[in-house]
Amino acid sequence: MSRILVAEDEWGIASFVLKGLRANGYTASHAADGDTALFEARSGQYDLLVLDLGLPGRDGLSVLRALRKAKVAIPVVILTARDDPATLVEGLDAGADDFIAKPFRFDELLARVRTRLRVDHLPTESTLRFGDIEFDARARRVLLDGAPVELSSREYRVLETFLRHPGQILSREQLLSHAWGRDFAAGSNIVDVYVRALRKKLGAAVIETVRGLGYRLGDGSRR
Ligand code: CA
């Protein structure tokens, strides 16, 4: 059974989320301020954190940054009334896995929670499959419909980043840090160049553009 921490200071919303999660078989606990949320999330007792951005004391983004700085890899779904792209980008850069804008329906939240729990429990497999693409990390080989595709080592790493984060919006900065290393200083538009190259080699639908935010693995259909 997955354990979920809900950091939300508005009791009405918190109680609605806690009740819904419990009704769906999760163990759900509550934190009403940022410092409690950080303390609890660092305990290692939770599988996922639902994090409101506007929290008393330490705000949600600061909780998230502190968790990632401490190398706590817990998946984080942000709840925010501020769904403008700048806030979303800030959240993604701080290490959020997903977002949900208030007001929301419980089933939307549940869908995000299920996806994030599933993705984070995927083993680090050496062979990844996506549509017609087979990615063999051990042999460093990519097959499309069974035929080998020549990728540069950087294209290969960008593709691997997408395949290991299915369903997740990846900002250009996240892609840079995964595929080039944290200290890479070039402008993030280099990511666009690699996305174009991958689309050309593997089909336009392999990577989807999420306007204002970045990219995500597409639906795999090449038609
Ligand atoms: Ca709040």
Side-chain angles (χ1 to χ4, degrees):
M1 193 191 310
S2 297
R3 295 147 306 172
I4 299 174
L5 179 63
V6 178
E8 168 62 75
D9 58 318
E10 277 176 66
W11 177 242
I13 298 174
S15 107
F16 156 75
V17 171
L18 290 165
K19 271 185 207 149
L21 290 172
R22 288 171 188 150
N24 281 277
Y26 296 103
T27 301
S29 305
H30 180 226
D33 64 77
D35 292 299
T36 309
L38 180 57
F39 179 82
E40 289 293 324
R42 288 192 69 164
S43 70
Q45 290 179 53
Y46 298 95
D47 300 305
L48 185 138
L49 169 62
V50 175
L51 179 64
D52 180 34
L53 284 188
L55 287 174
R58 198 184 257 278
D59 72 25
L61 275 181
S62 153
V63 170
L64 180 56
R65 290 197 182 103
L67 284 173
R68 296 311 188 223
K69 198 171 170 209
K71 308 273 182 234
V72 178
I74 184 171
V76 174
V77 176
I78 283 184
L79 286 181
T80 175
R82 297 170 273 170
D83 63 345
D84 61 294
T87 304
L88 298 189
V89 168
E90 215 180 350
L92 288 172
D93 286 349
D97 298 281
D98 215 334
F99 283 90
I100 193 149
K102 295 175 183 174
F104 57 89
R105 299 195 318 270
F106 182 75
D107 58 348
E108 295 176 73
L109 175 66
L110 188 62
R112 307 289 171 92
V113 165
R114 283 193 174 132
T115 305
R116 296 271 57 97
L117 287 171
R118 198 166 52 232
V119 167
D120 279 76
H121 286 160
L122 287 178
T124 314
E125 299 201 29
S126 63
T127 303
L128 300 169
R129 280 191 186 77
F130 174 70
D132 299 328
I133 299 168
E134 186 181 322
F135 179 95
D136 184 342
R138 208 164 283 153
R140 292 187 70 85
R141 191 178 63 160
V142 176
L143 301 177
L144 179 65
D145 268 339
V149 179
E150 289 285 329
L151 295 185
S152 72
S153 66
R154 201 68 78 185
E155 288 166 355
Y156 175 92
R157 291 187 61 183
V158 173
L159 177 63
E160 180 175 24
T161 305
F162 280 109
L163 292 174
R164 294 206 185 277
H165 299 86
Q168 185 176 343
I169 301 170
L170 297 168
S171 68
R172 289 172 175 79
E173 289 71 21
Q174 284 176 311
L175 286 161
L176 271 180
S177 92
H178 276 98
W180 277 262
R182 297 216 168 263
D183 301 325
F184 192 77
S188 60
N189 61 355
I190 189 154
V191 170
D192 305 347
V193 174
Y194 281 87
V195 166
R196 266 202 301 278
L198 287 172
R199 282 174 172 159
K200 203 167 167 188
K201 292 180 179 180
L202 299 169
V206 66
I207 296 161
E208 189 183 321
T209 301
V210 184
R211 192 175 287 277
L213 296 178
Y215 295 104
R216 115 179 109 199
L217 193 64
D219 65 6
S221 64
R222 288 188 294 125
R223 277 143 300 266

